């Protein structure tokens, strides 16, 4: 059988990229519309929906990547994926979203979730300094998350936001909770499949046109597992769903630590790569605490701050891989 030539491979790869982007865009649109509808009908806040259902769904790529990497003997990739994703969620995704639409938050509504995100970050930093995430810690982290979600649900039931009824959502075919759940599931599946197709297509395209795999990994795979968050946040920005955006990012960072690191360690103890402790861990902690402090005091991220966050993320990438980029 003839091997596929570089031209044919490039065509297939770019086709995968295009279809992956399409799925991410549609998946983000369906997810946000369905989540907003369910929140409205169930009397739950959009912040709660964004921090639970949407956050868990958009964190699925990180889960698949981390568990697979740890099981195949690459714990550094497993944990590096989580640390890097949490940094990207704040600097890249919040920054990019703020360029499109200024984000506003109410400290009284954000305090609970922001505080839990900080607690989770402290737990992860402590375990990284310890050198390993044992199975018992994984079970404990997952139990903390389950208890927090139960508490969130108890506090939010019957306390939904007083938003106007969104007729635009019903025009798109979401006119019942059952259909809303269907659109939500379809949106989450589209996000997972779309992100995988985009990442794999980008890797294949890089190989076909001669770009080193290391550069593709740096520019595409490192960001690829955060694409669902980016897609849903930009979709939410266009729909002016500020709480959904903030809830998605805070919830995703929580899930990344307590759920994904927890589940990964439950399956197989997660040994810490020392290189992550040198820089990445402290950047993640610093960015997380700065983001929480800013939202709980200033409570607004506008376009100038969004641009500054994007520049900071680019600087972090360049600094982290300066030996590779300038070799």
């Amino acid at each position: 059988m003839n091997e596929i030539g570089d031209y044919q491979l490039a065509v297939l790869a770019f086709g995968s990229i295009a279809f992956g982007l399409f799925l991410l865009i549609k998946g983000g649109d369906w997810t946000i519309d369905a989540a907003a509808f369910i929140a409205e009908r169930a009397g739950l806040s959009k912040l709660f929906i964004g921090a639970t259902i949407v956050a868990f769904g958009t964190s699925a790529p990180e889960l698949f990547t981390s568990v697979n990497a740890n099981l195949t003997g690459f714990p550094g990739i497993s944990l590096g994926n989580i640390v890097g994703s949490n940094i990207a969620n704040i600097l890249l995704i919040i920054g990019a979203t703020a360029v499109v639409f200024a984000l506003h938050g109410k400290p009284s509504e954000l305090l609970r979730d922001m505080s839990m995100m900080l607690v989770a970050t402290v737990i992860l930093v402590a375990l990284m300094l310890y050198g390993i995430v044992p199975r018992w810690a994984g079970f404990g982290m997952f139990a903390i998350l389950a208890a927090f979600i139960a508490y969130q649900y108890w506090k939010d039931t019957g306390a939904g936001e007083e938003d106007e009824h969104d007729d635009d959502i019903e025009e798109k075919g979401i006119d019942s909770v059952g259909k809303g759940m269907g659109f939500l599931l379809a949106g989450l599946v589209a996000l997972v499949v779309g992100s995988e197709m985009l990442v794999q297509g980008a890797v294949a395209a890089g190989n076909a046109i001669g770009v080193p795999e290391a550069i593709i990994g740096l520019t595409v795979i490192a960001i690829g597992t955060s694409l669902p968050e980016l897609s849903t946040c930009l979709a939410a920005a266009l729909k002016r769903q500020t709480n959904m955006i903030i809830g998605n990012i805070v919830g995703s960072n929580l899930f990344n630590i307590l759920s994904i690191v927890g589940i990964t360690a439950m399956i197989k103890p997660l040994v810490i790569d020392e290189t992550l402790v040198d820089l990445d861990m402290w950047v993640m902690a610093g960015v997380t605490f700065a983001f929480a402090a800013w939202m709980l005091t200033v409570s607004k991220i506008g376009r100038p701050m969004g641009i500054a966050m994007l520049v900071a993320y680019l600087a972090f990438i360049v600094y982290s891989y300066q030996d590779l980029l300038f070799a």
Side-chain angles (χ1 to χ4, degrees):
M1 184 173 63
N2 295 331
E3 293 184 1
I4 298 178
D6 287 346
Y7 173 76
Q8 289 86 355
L9 180 59
V11 170
L12 291 173
F14 284 111
S16 177
I17 291 173
F19 190 57
L21 284 171
F22 170 76
L23 288 177
L24 284 172
I25 293 170
K26 293 303 295 182
D29 192 44
W30 291 340
T31 300
I32 293 303
D33 281 342
F37 182 87
I38 293 169
E40 178 183 287
R41 291 300 175 91
L44 298 172
S45 70
K46 291 184 176 67
L47 185 64
F48 170 76
I49 294 293
T52 53
I53 299 174
V54 177
F56 184 77
T58 57
S59 291
E62 285 93 337
L63 176 60
F64 299 148
T65 301
S66 292
V67 170
N68 182 61
N70 195 38
L71 287 175
T72 52
F74 300 99
I77 294 177
S78 181
L79 190 58
N81 177 42
I82 299 305
V83 173
S85 179
N86 278 20
I87 295 171
N89 280 350
I90 294 174
L91 292 182
L92 174 62
I93 297 174
I94 289 292
T97 305
V99 171
V100 176
F101 174 63
L103 302 179
H104 300 266
K106 296 180 181 179
S108 59
E109 295 179 354
L110 297 176
L111 180 60
R112 181 184 66 201
D113 293 340
M114 287 287 187
S115 298
M116 194 62 207
M117 179 179 68
L118 296 180
V119 169
T121 301
V122 170
I123 291 174
L124 180 58
V125 168
L127 288 169
M128 291 180 71
L129 292 173
Y130 181 63
I132 187 173
V133 184
R135 279 198 174 92
W136 63 263
F139 279 103
M141 295 166 76
F142 193 78
I144 291 172
L145 179 63
F148 181 64
I149 292 176
Y151 174 75
Q152 281 183 308
Y153 181 79
W154 175 68
K155 292 291 290 185
D156 278 38
T157 301
E161 297 164 340
E162 294 297 328
D163 292 334
E164 293 183 2
H165 185 68
D166 196 340
D167 293 325
D168 181 59
I169 294 177
E170 292 194 2
E171 290 177 2
K172 296 181 179 181
I174 306 177
D175 54 9
S176 68
V177 173
K179 286 187 178 181
M181 292 299 293
F183 270 88
L184 181 62
L185 179 60
L188 295 177
V189 170
L191 289 171
V192 174
V193 175
S195 64
E196 176 67 10
M197 292 192 69
L198 182 58
V199 170
Q200 295 302 326
V203 172
N207 291 334
I209 62 179
V211 177
E213 188 173 321
I215 299 297
I216 293 297
L218 168 64
T219 57
V220 179
I221 298 178
I223 300 171
T225 55
S226 291
L227 288 175
E229 286 90 345
L230 178 60
S231 181
T232 53
C233 283
L234 290 177
L238 295 175
K239 300 173 188 297
R240 302 296 192 264
Q241 301 283 5
T242 299
N243 278 352
M244 191 77 74
I245 297 168
I246 298 173
N248 183 18
I249 295 304
V250 174
S252 290
N253 282 13
L254 260 176
F255 274 96
N256 282 349
I257 296 174
L258 297 181
S259 176
I260 297 175
V261 174
I263 291 174
T264 302
M266 286 161 59
I267 297 172
K268 179 183 178 182
L270 187 57
V271 179
I272 307 302
D273 189 324
E274 292 183 1
T275 59
L276 292 173
V277 180
D278 293 338
L279 173 68
D280 296 350
M281 179 187 76
W282 300 112
V283 172
M284 177 197 68
V287 166
T288 301
F289 274 80
F291 173 59
W294 184 272
M295 291 307 299
L296 293 175
T297 53
V298 180
S299 305
K300 177 183 177 181
I301 300 179
R303 182 169 295 170
M305 179 58 71
I307 294 173
M309 294 169 78
L310 292 176
V311 171
Y313 184 71
L314 178 61
F316 166 72
I317 293 296
V318 172
Y319 181 81
S320 298
Y321 297 94
Q322 55 183 319
D323 292 339
L324 174 64
L325 292 173
F326 304 113

